[in-house]
Amino acid sequence: MTVRVCADYEALSRNAAELFAAGACHAVAERGRFCVALSGGSTPQRCYQLLAAPPLRDLVPWPQVEVFWGDERCVPENDPRSNLRLAREALLDRLPQPPGQIHPMSCAGDPAAAAGAYQALLQSAFDPGEPCFDLILLGLGTDGHTASLLPGTPAPLETNRLVVTVRAPGAEFSRLTLTVPVLNQARQIIVLVSGREKTTILHQILDGPPGRYPAQLLAPGDGQLLWLVDRAAAGDDLLR
Ligand code: 6PG
């Protein structure tokens, strides 16, 4: 695991976008395609915008990029809370991406059926065994969740299925999420953490006792785990 502290949100976003582009070029050169799972939430928005503009837009071999999601809120695709909408507005609608290479988790209808369908999609998109994404982008919630592996739900402990539905107590909508085994099969995981409100949870995850938060379950076997954080989230301790 590596922790990299960036000066600010813009630097964090640029760093993430450059790593995305480099990973895409490497994966396509090595294996002919780049399979990435995008993160939801607000943190990755600037990273996506940087990828949708020169120079990075012209560096990424988009025709060989397959876009998936790490999780999705079960709301209509045009709902401002939709992770698909975030990625479309900031990135995908600005690219010549073949629609067949964009694989949303759309689950506004029947979440359980959508989870089964997405699992089947992953099983058809990857070789037998668990899918192996070249890159998974993730965020971090102040409660220690990542993707939609919400604390207090069964989702973080799921080890058989690749995709599960999640509904936090009292939540307005369900979610779909990749499960920990899928995340930990990735060649690279980058967790984007920005802002002072994440300082406490970030330190609890990185320095605190293990096994308390879903984000502490991130441990890609042969892959790389990079915590990309800005100074506001790092606080004073991480800067020493
Ligand atoms: C989601 C995200 C979630 C997000 C964190 C951080 O769908 O909610 O996937 O895991 O990454 O909650 O969200 P922010 O980036 O908005 O702080």
Side-chain angles (χ1 to χ4, degrees):
M1 173 180 74
T2 303
V3 179
R4 186 180 299 170
V5 181
C6 303
D8 53 26
Y9 176 61
E10 181 69 17
L12 176 148
S13 303
R14 184 165 302 281
N15 209 313
E18 288 169 352
L19 287 167
F20 181 114
C25 292
H26 177 76
V28 169
E30 292 279 312
R31 292 178 292 278
R33 69 176 187 170
F34 176 63
C35 295
V36 58
L38 298 181
S39 171
S42 57
T43 302
Q45 183 178 45
R46 183 61 183 142
C47 168
Y48 296 161
Q49 290 170 344
L50 290 168
L51 285 166
L56 293 178
R57 182 192 61 195
D58 306 323
L59 278 179
V60 176
W62 294 108
Q64 287 77 41
V65 175
E66 297 278 349
V67 180
F68 300 81
W69 272 261
D71 69 327
E72 182 56 279
R73 294 92 177 269
C74 297
V75 295
E77 290 186 7
N78 61 355
D79 187 301
R81 297 165 297 187
S82 162
N83 291 339
L84 170 60
R85 175 171 164 171
L86 164 74
R88 278 204 163 132
E89 287 180 347
L91 176 60
L92 300 174
D93 287 352
R94 305 178 191 192
L95 300 175
Q97 195 67 11
Q101 291 172 214
I102 298 174
H103 310 290
M105 274 187 166
S106 306
C107 57
D110 177 349
Y118 212 75
Q119 169 145 332
L121 169 70
L122 294 179
Q123 287 167 328
S124 66
F126 294 91
D127 295 335
E130 279 159 344
C132 188
F133 286 97
D134 295 294
L135 174 60
I136 299 180
L137 294 176
L138 294 172
L140 176 66
T142 53
D143 62 356
H145 82 257
T146 192
S148 283
L149 300 168
L150 305 180
T153 71
L157 304 176
E158 174 65 44
T159 56
N160 294 317
R161 290 174 289 170
L162 308 182
V163 186
V164 293
T165 60
V166 190
R167 186 150 191 149
E172 184 185 344
F173 47 79
S174 297
R175 295 161 170 255
L176 255 57
T177 187
L178 299 184
T179 56
V180 170
V182 177
L183 300 182
N184 285 338
Q185 285 285 328
R187 292 186 174 89
Q188 182 176 33
I189 295 175
I190 300 177
V191 190
L192 306 180
V193 189
S194 171
R196 195 170 307 284
E197 72 278 5
K198 304 286 177 75
T199 304
T200 301
I201 189 63
L202 181 64
H203 283 272
Q204 287 172 335
I205 285 169
L206 296 180
D207 308 325
R212 293 181 60 195
Y213 301 102
Q216 291 177 305
L217 296 170
L218 296 175
D222 298 331
Q224 299 169 344
L225 171 58
L226 172 63
W227 288 85
L228 204 51
V229 308
D230 63 13
R231 290 174 72 96
D236 298 333
D237 298 1
L238 268 183
L239 294 176
R240 288 201 185 104

